[in-house]
Amino acid sequence: MWVGRLVDLIEEHADELTERLVRMVREDPRTIGYGEVSDGELGGRAREVYSHLGKWLTKSSESAVESEYFRLGEVRRAEGIPLSEVVMALLLVRRNLWQFVESHGANTSLELRQQLDLELLVVRFFDRAIFHAVRGYESGD
């Protein structure tokens, strides 16, 4: 299955994706609040997603996503990072992932369909992650 091969490829390139993501966040004016967050902390969560993407997309329960990203929201609020920047950083994680997938483009209509199937799974995961991060952030109000 091509989706599985794409997920394997993403997981194999987790370090490369993480390095690129850290650069993206550092260079994006919409995530300036992350200036005080270390590269290790910033990249750590992204590496966790990239290196275990298959697990997050297929085996993670709602409670696992809620726990991880609710906590992320709480931490970012405590660090004083604006909520809009927290959301933007998560969108950059997703965008970086999708740019990588597109760079390994589909060659057949079946591969294109499977690429779209993967995109749907990724969007659903990030929808849940963003929702729970916002909830965690707002829990300190």
Side-chain angles (χ1 to χ4, degrees):
M1 177 184 235
W2 200 67
V3 170
R5 287 193 323 239
L6 264 179
V7 169
D8 291 345
L9 188 65
I10 291 163
E11 291 177 349
E12 290 167 13
H13 289 86
D15 289 338
E16 172 190 333
L17 284 159
T18 301
E19 289 172 16
R20 190 167 62 188
L21 181 271
V22 169
R23 280 193 310 273
M24 290 170 75
V25 171
R26 297 283 183 234
E27 294 170 1
D28 195 309
R30 297 167 294 182
T31 54
I32 197 157
Y34 280 83
E36 298 299 316
V37 177
S38 73
D39 287 357
E41 166 66 15
L42 182 57
R45 250 176 242 284
R47 183 176 287 108
E48 170 63 25
V49 170
Y50 296 143
S51 64
H52 299 101
L53 186 64
K55 175 193 83 159
W56 282 110
L57 295 182
T58 61
K59 296 181 179 123
S60 66
S61 66
E62 183 67 24
S63 63
V65 175
E66 178 180 12
S67 174
E68 184 73 17
Y69 287 91
F70 190 92
R71 188 166 37 97
L72 171 71
E74 292 176 315
V75 168
R76 294 301 183 239
R77 178 185 171 88
E79 293 170 335
I81 297 173
L83 180 57
S84 61
E85 294 187 32
V86 174
V87 171
M88 189 66 222
L90 288 167
L91 293 173
L92 288 173
V93 174
R94 185 180 71 190
R95 181 174 302 150
N96 184 40
L97 173 64
W98 202 246
Q99 287 171 343
F100 179 81
V101 168
E102 287 177 334
S103 74
H104 293 83
N107 295 315
T108 67
S109 59
L110 177 60
E111 288 177 347
L112 179 59
R113 174 59 196 187
Q114 290 171 335
Q115 185 175 331
L116 292 172
D117 289 345
L118 176 61
E119 181 178 14
L120 179 61
L121 291 172
V122 167
V123 166
R124 286 180 181 166
F125 168 74
F126 278 96
D127 285 353
R128 297 181 321 170
I130 291 168
F131 172 73
H132 291 301
V134 169
R135 286 185 55 242
Y137 194 99
E138 293 175 341
S139 71
D141 286 342

